[in-house]
Amino acid sequence: MDRNDDPSASAAIDQHVQQPYKYGWSTDIESDLAPRGLNEDIIRLISEKKNEPEWMLEWRLKAFERWLTMKEPSWANIRYDPIDYQAIHYYAAPKQQKKLESLDEVDPKLIETFEKLGIPLEEQKRLTGVAVDAVFDSVSVATTFKAELAKHGVIFLPISEAIVEHPELVEKYLGSVVPRTDNFFAALNSAVFTDGSFVFVPKGVRCPLELSTYFRINATSTGQFERTLIVAEEGSHVSYLEGCSAPMRDENQLHAAVVELVALDDAQIKYSTIQNWYPGDETGSGGIYNFVTKRGRCAGRNSKISWTQVETGSAITWKYPSCMLEGDNSVGEFYSVAVTNNHQQADTGTKMVHMGKDTKSTIISKGISAGRSQNTYRGQVKIMKGAENARNYSQCDSMLIGDQCGAHTFPYIDVRNSTAIMEHEATTSKVGEDQIFYCQQRGLSEEDAVSLIVNGFCKEVFRELPMEFAVEATRLLGVSLEGSVG
Amino acid sequence: MLEIRNLHAGVDGVEILNGVNLSVNAGEVHAIMGPNGSGKSTLAQVLAGHPTYEITQGTVSFEGQDLLEMGPDERAIAGLFLAFQYPVEIRGITNGYFLQSAMNSIRKARGQEELDTLDFAELLEEKLKEIGWDDSLIHRAVNEGFSGGEKKRNEILQLAVLEPKLAVLDETDSGLDIDAVRSVAEAVNRFRSDERAFVVVTHYQRILDYLTPDHVHVLSKGQVAKSGGKELALELEAKGYDWLREEAPVG
């Protein structure tokens, strides 16, 4: 008999589907808030606040014009009430008196906020070998190790500062991977993006530190629209990590980000995400709507872009970090763990577009669903005509905890060159009562048993994370699933 | 050590154990035999606390504690070990890591110091030497892709490392060839002691050639139908189980 179908077991699971969100508090700080709603004046206001050059404003306005004609996509396997784009504040910033010259002048409340999130901004308390850009609502409040990085020629700046200080670099690459009209959410972001990080690693430089941005939403009824741009010149290497969280609120807050990566000849970019936005409560009320466009261009020969993501938060996730493999012999990788619990919905995956010869891509996706959540993997592998000898390996594994959640897999494969070699593997498994019982019989608590089983399932992805964060990811997974099994 | 009194248990309202009585003292080896469907494996699972089974009547005390009030992990911590008939696979977790986690969870609950990876590796090496097995199973994922024999050996290795007071072996011999049965039985023999008891659930007499039980019990229709010494096992081997169905239950 299949004991997993026992109704009493699922009732017990139900009873346990509850877990506190650790980062749900908010910071009481006066903020400089734009009026609700979206129109040209708001965009001009944002551009003015950031002291942007005229071309940037033009760029935004063109994006806005196009956005007005675009329709919100409806193909994803997610359900939500219509978003009222006029009810959102598009700019919120903690009030500060003057331009900051050093970290000492940052409002102690903000320092404290990030400290509480485990992101120390004071350099003496730094995470070993990690430089941090801290983004609070619409602005970057601090960036550590700027000077140290500058010695190596590495630029690591809030993108708003980069637009002012390095306009030629930003203008050259912004929108070169994700055009401002790429999709509904990317166009919205292009019109109203407020902050995010800019990274430039010059030719031949191995970035000496891990770079990391931490995004925090604080103000109510605001959206966060960050934009990240990373450019790795010939032969350079960089590893970047983003983390995020938000207060517990019963409203849904919109987060629509765009991330663009450019890797030139022989360059490597490793981009890791630990996404822990507020997922909503156990009844499905509140939580972040996370609509994100992430794309990397392997523009040069032998270049490599690797995406690793651990997604545990957000009420809704719509996100497909992708690689455009243009350079011959370039490599794209996607390693993903997506955990959904309670009423969370995730539709996530990747796109690998092979254009260059001898290009390779690897996709390892692990979806874990608990509670009443829905977890969808959506992936596309496209081999273009000129991509001789392209190779792809895809592996999509789903794990179900309880019997009221769903796992869905939509792989799209489009091969236009007969020399391509494609491999695809998919499995679905269930964390069974018998597996948990086996662990318990050896002396492990029920919670440790689930955590052990899930971590084993995700191992191939976790080993891709930078070491400093692998431990964090393992822990986060335990918290997200706490009490999800009866 | 273990006192089972009038134990009734079942699944979905269907009674499988129908008033089992059994006493096991430290240092003893008890064999539980019986035809298919007599409740042997259910008894093993119920002792370990599998949540599928509902206890409707009776008591079980283990070292003076009410076993039925304890969760499966609490029973393990108290010193009860079940060697599974069908050991479960856990992907991505090495056997060594699994065993270390289990051991440390038990040690922590008992207020003992946890073992770090090096200390644990040393202990493991010692145990392997003691039973004369190599470390080929240690670095593989728990039971993943193991042959039937490897799975059963792995159960005995876990027993050796966790050093329980009471080990229940649920058909550890089934599906094994004669050499594997001997190898498993010899390993078990090495861990017999005055402080430790074994309850060996088996369908066949052959493992008892190597394990020499102090007591043999025959389960029929969810009750102990007959108890005796090791000669009872031989009698069963010769006569089968049918003649027992005529006899009244004992105990």
Side-chain angles (χ1 to χ4, degrees):
Chain A
M1 127 188 205
D2 184 359
R3 292 186 176 116
N4 296 327
D5 295 331
D6 179 357
S8 69
S10 79
I13 286 162
D14 262 1
Q15 185 193 326
H16 282 270
V17 179
Q18 289 230 6
Q19 47 107 10
Y21 179 71
K22 214 174 125 189
Y23 305 103
W25 42 271
S26 63
T27 307
D28 183 18
I29 194 162
E30 207 183 336
S31 61
D32 177 8
L33 206 62
R36 286 174 198 261
L38 181 54
N39 52 52
E40 274 197 30
D41 290 343
I42 292 287
I43 293 167
R44 285 176 195 282
L45 176 86
I46 292 170
S47 192
E48 199 186 303
K49 292 255 181 214
K50 306 278 184 191
N51 296 313
E52 287 176 352
E54 186 61 26
W55 62 265
M56 194 65 249
L57 175 63
E58 286 304 314
W59 200 85
R60 290 176 179 277
L61 291 173
K62 277 186 190 146
F64 179 60
E65 204 180 307
R66 261 310 277 283
W67 179 74
L68 289 172
T69 67
M70 295 169 95
K71 271 185 80 175
E72 206 170 313
S74 59
W75 43 262
N77 187 24
I78 49 180
R79 304 277 164 272
Y80 56 95
D81 290 335
I83 297 167
D84 181 356
Y85 292 93
Q86 296 304 333
I88 297 172
H89 295 285
Y90 287 84
Y91 183 84
K95 267 195 183 150
Q96 51 195 27
Q97 306 309 320
K98 57 180 173 89
K99 194 170 173 350
L100 300 174
E101 295 304 326
S102 81
L103 208 57
D104 304 338
E105 296 171 70
V106 176
D107 189 330
K109 266 189 189 164
L110 291 172
I111 302 262
E112 200 184 300
T113 298
F114 282 97
E115 191 111 334
K116 228 168 133 183
L117 294 167
I119 317 292
L121 298 180
E122 291 152 66
E123 297 196 357
Q124 63 272 29
K125 289 191 194 164
R126 62 179 186 170
L127 291 158
T128 330
V130 183
V132 179
D133 180 18
V135 177
F136 190 86
D137 290 330
S138 304
V139 293
S140 168
V141 295
T143 309
T144 63
F145 295 106
K146 273 194 269 196
E148 162 107 21
L149 290 167
K151 272 192 245 161
H152 298 266
V154 175
I155 304 171
F156 180 41
L157 283 179
I159 200 160
S160 55
E161 283 177 35
I163 290 166
V164 176
E165 290 177 26
H166 303 279
E168 70 300 336
L169 280 177
V170 177
E171 195 174 4
K172 181 172 175 190
Y173 290 108
L174 190 75
S176 70
V177 186
V178 180
R180 60 185 173 226
T181 55
D182 187 79
N183 67 68
F184 181 84
F185 294 105
L188 177 65
N189 174 285
S190 299
V192 301
F193 77 87
T194 43
D195 230 327
S197 301
F198 174 73
V199 177
F200 179 82
V201 189
K203 204 165 170 173
V205 171
R206 271 176 187 266
C207 186
L209 298 171
E210 293 273 344
L211 305 183
S212 161
T213 304
Y214 196 91
F215 296 98
R216 174 75 176 170
I217 295 180
N218 189 65
T220 51
S221 308
T222 56
Q224 193 179 52
F225 305 93
E226 93 260 4
R227 184 128 196 154
T228 295
L229 174 58
I230 300 177
V231 179
E233 281 199 329
E234 292 83 353
S236 66
H237 283 55
V238 60
S239 170
Y240 178 94
L241 183 121
E242 59 169 358
C244 41
S245 66
M248 250 147 78
R249 299 235 167 78
D250 56 10
E251 59 170 3
N252 294 110
Q253 282 179 280
L254 179 63
H255 173 258
V258 172
V259 175
E260 298 179 276
L261 313 181
V262 181
L264 303 183
D265 287 356
D266 303 299
Q268 294 193 11
I269 303 176
K270 184 177 178 63
Y271 192 106
S272 314
T273 304
I274 294 186
Q275 190 264 104
N276 189 23
W277 293 117
Y278 176 53
D281 68 10
E282 67 277 11
T283 67
S285 163
I288 302 292
Y289 287 172
N290 192 31
F291 292 91
V292 173
T293 306
K294 289 184 165 170
R295 196 174 301 154
R297 248 182 89 202
C298 282
R301 291 176 59 87
N302 307 319
S303 57
K304 179 177 172 184
I305 289 180
S306 180
W307 299 98
T308 305
Q309 57 171 21
V310 177
E311 304 275 314
T312 62
S314 297
I316 287 176
T317 301
W318 179 97
K319 179 178 163 185
Y320 316 91
S322 306
C323 296
M324 316 301 285
L325 304 171
E326 295 168 18
D328 290 349
N329 210 30
S330 60
V331 176
E333 294 174 336
F334 174 75
Y335 300 99
S336 169
V337 167
V339 184
T340 52
N341 196 355
N342 297 322
H343 290 261
Q344 282 176 274
Q345 305 174 64
D347 192 307
T348 184
T350 184
K351 241 193 303 188
M352 294 288 174
V353 183
H354 293 248
M355 287 170 266
K357 297 188 183 78
D358 303 307
T359 45
K360 283 189 273 312
S361 62
T362 302
I363 299 171
I364 310 268
S365 160
K366 307 275 179 178
I368 300 157
S369 344
R372 292 163 189 271
S373 66
Q374 296 295 328
N375 202 323
T376 301
Y377 167 80
R378 188 183 303 278
Q380 184 181 43
V381 181
K382 207 169 182 175
I383 312 288
M384 306 301 272
K385 244 194 175 126
E388 291 288 318
N389 301 315
R391 289 197 71 144
N392 164 263
Y393 174 75
S394 301
Q395 183 189 330
C396 307
D397 298 327
S398 310
M399 178 178 261
L400 300 164
I401 302 179
D403 56 6
Q404 298 186 64
C405 51
H408 317 270
T409 305
F410 299 103
Y412 305 91
I413 297 170
D414 179 358
V415 179
R416 301 178 191 179
N417 183 310
S418 61
T419 60
I421 300 174
M422 316 284 289
E423 285 174 82
H424 184 98
E425 289 177 26
T427 65
T428 302
S429 56
K430 210 160 173 180
V431 176
E433 204 175 51
D434 282 332
Q435 244 177 343
I436 295 168
F437 177 62
Y438 187 73
C439 295
Q440 282 187 290
Q441 211 305 303
R442 297 301 182 249
L444 295 168
S445 70
E446 184 177 303
E447 238 126 61
D448 288 347
V450 174
S451 159
L452 188 86
I453 294 162
V454 170
N455 275 303
F457 176 73
C458 298
K459 194 180 188 180
E460 293 137 291
V461 174
F462 283 172
R463 69 173 171 223
E464 297 298 327
L465 284 171
M467 232 214 324
E468 292 87 343
F469 302 101
V471 178
E472 169 70 9
T474 307
R475 197 195 54 74
L476 187 60
L477 213 66
V479 173
S480 285
L481 290 168
E482 208 159 87
S484 61
V485 180
Chain B
M1 177 181 278
L2 180 74
E3 281 291 332
I4 305 175
R5 290 265 162 268
N6 190 32
L7 183 63
H8 291 249
V11 177
D12 297 334
V14 179
E15 200 158 76
I16 302 169
L17 298 183
N18 186 23
V20 172
N21 293 294
L22 186 69
S23 298
V24 178
N25 296 314
E28 293 177 346
V29 174
H30 290 243
I32 310 274
M33 303 186 70
N36 291 329
S38 59
K40 301 188 300 287
S41 281
T42 298
L43 178 62
Q45 298 272 334
V46 164
L47 288 177
H50 196 292
T52 292
Y53 299 97
E54 198 190 341
I55 314 295
T56 46
Q57 252 192 80
T59 59
V60 181
S61 83
F62 177 60
E63 299 258 278
Q65 297 182 73
D66 182 352
L67 194 73
L68 301 179
E69 281 300 309
M70 297 157 75
D73 47 339
E74 293 170 314
R75 298 181 198 204
I77 289 159
L80 186 148
F81 179 92
L82 171 65
F84 283 65
Q85 185 179 0
Y86 304 109
V88 176
E89 296 183 6
I90 305 170
R91 238 171 118 168
I93 298 293
T94 64
N95 231 346
Y97 181 78
F98 177 68
L99 260 176
Q100 189 189 349
S101 307
M103 171 157 233
N104 279 337
S105 182
I106 291 174
R107 290 181 73 97
K108 199 171 155 196
R110 290 179 183 164
Q112 296 163 325
E113 209 180 315
E114 296 180 44
L115 295 184
D116 65 25
T117 307
L118 285 178
D119 287 343
F120 180 76
E122 227 166 85
L123 178 123
L124 198 55
E125 202 179 321
E126 225 169 84
K127 291 289 179 190
L128 283 165
K129 210 181 279 170
E130 206 176 336
I131 40 184
W133 293 347
D134 63 25
D135 64 355
S136 59
L137 300 182
I138 299 303
H139 307 291
R140 291 167 61 187
V142 181
N143 293 318
E144 197 181 37
F146 282 27
S147 70
E150 285 174 330
K151 283 186 182 175
K152 298 296 173 77
R153 270 205 328 184
N154 195 29
E155 294 294 289
I156 301 307
L157 174 64
Q158 297 185 24
L159 187 160
V161 170
L162 298 177
E163 301 182 329
K165 290 179 187 152
L166 173 67
V168 180
L169 274 51
D170 187 7
E171 304 210 17
T172 300
D173 54 334
S174 67
L176 297 187
D177 62 38
I178 194 70
D179 291 336
V181 170
R182 191 192 300 132
S183 161
V184 162
E186 280 169 1
V188 170
N189 276 333
R190 204 150 286 129
F191 293 99
R192 281 175 81 155
S193 81
D194 291 345
E195 289 89 47
R196 183 170 295 138
F198 285 87
V199 172
V200 181
V201 172
T202 179
H203 196 73
Y204 303 105
Q205 188 269 336
R206 59 181 187 175
I207 193 172
L208 304 179
D209 285 346
Y210 308 103
L211 274 183
T212 330
D214 302 299
H215 302 273
V216 174
H217 313 275
V218 183
L219 224 56
S220 176
K221 296 176 188 158
Q223 292 181 325
V224 177
K226 197 168 175 69
S227 293
K230 60 178 184 242
E231 65 291 343
L232 177 58
L234 294 168
E235 197 178 344
L236 288 168
E237 189 78 352
K239 291 163 72 176
Y241 289 112
D242 283 349
W243 61 282
L244 278 168
R245 300 197 178 159
E246 315 305 320
E247 301 210 358
V250 294

